[in-house]
Amino acid sequence: MDIRALHEEALRSTHRFVAAVGPDQWESPTPCEAWNVRQLVNHLVSGNLWVAELGSGRTIEEVGTDLDGDLLGDDPVAAHEASVSAAAGAFAADGAMERLWPLSYGARPGRVYARQRFIDVLIHGWDIGRATGEDPRLPDDLVQECTDLITARPGIRAQWGFADVTAGPGADPQARLLALTGRRS
């Protein structure tokens, strides 16, 4: 598994949902009850920009509150697209997967951070597609890789606060992944 490539593919997959948000849909509720579409996209942009900042060598303390608040401005789609490029570029840098990144839970190799971001980006893409009425079908290869990552680390469900949801009998792979992340398809 090339986590850098998976993360980049998830970024592109999620951007297609962001790019399809209609002008009247930014305030729509999402499956993430605390966030509407605009707030969820802002969360993704913030996460992507954190990758870029930490990838450039800054520490959490140095970034401080720079990425708090509204990062979308008047053009949320362009802000998201720029953040996608920044995150992909940071993880594509030489040695980025092996070097230690200063994360909130301690220094970890870039591949660990990329796995975290891959899951977050992919699942929130589904959230946006679902909230806006787009077909929220995720790429099959990403669904499988994400499922494998989550099931290989069972503690992640509790750590990230995923609700306890069970996929019904005969559920397809995407429905099983969504259940693992506390969502119903």
Side-chain angles (χ1 to χ4, degrees):
M1 166 183 55
D2 179 355
I3 191 60
R4 180 182 3 205
L6 291 171
H7 173 260
E8 193 167 335
E9 189 177 342
L11 287 168
R12 286 192 306 271
S13 174
T14 294
H15 185 70
R16 77 180 164 90
F17 292 120
V18 172
V21 175
D24 60 335
Q25 294 179 314
W26 291 102
E27 302 302 319
S28 298
T30 70
C32 298
E33 294 177 10
W35 292 325
N36 64 29
V37 172
R38 184 179 176 89
Q39 292 164 329
L40 183 53
V41 172
N42 194 69
H43 163 74
L44 289 170
V45 168
S46 175
N48 291 340
L49 295 177
W50 270 103
V51 172
E53 292 293 341
L54 297 178
S56 74
R58 291 182 75 191
T59 65
I60 291 171
E61 294 75 24
E62 289 170 335
V63 175
T65 60
D66 291 354
L67 299 176
D68 290 354
D70 179 27
L71 301 171
L72 303 182
D74 294 334
D75 192 345
V77 175
H80 184 262
E81 187 171 31
S83 78
V84 162
S85 294
F91 280 143
D94 287 342
M97 293 296 100
E98 295 76 32
R99 79 170 174 80
L100 295 179
W101 292 58
L103 307 176
S104 62
Y105 48 91
R108 300 287 190 278
R111 66 183 172 281
V112 172
Y113 191 24
R115 284 193 300 252
Q116 172 192 333
R117 294 297 306 146
F118 165 64
I119 295 168
D120 194 51
V121 166
L122 183 68
I123 298 303
H124 285 321
W126 180 87
D127 292 331
I128 294 165
R130 179 76 181 260
T132 59
E134 294 295 313
D135 177 2
R137 177 64 41 197
L138 300 171
D140 292 340
D141 61 325
L142 297 183
V143 166
Q144 187 59 56
E145 293 289 350
C146 193
T147 299
D148 292 349
L149 281 172
I150 292 171
T151 56
R153 292 160 187 81
I156 200 170
R157 295 183 75 215
Q159 179 186 4
W160 286 13
F162 292 144
D164 191 18
V165 174
T166 303
D172 69 13
Q174 180 166 306
R176 288 193 299 274
L177 171 61
L178 294 171
L180 283 172
T181 63
R183 290 157 173 82
R184 297 188 194 318
S185 55

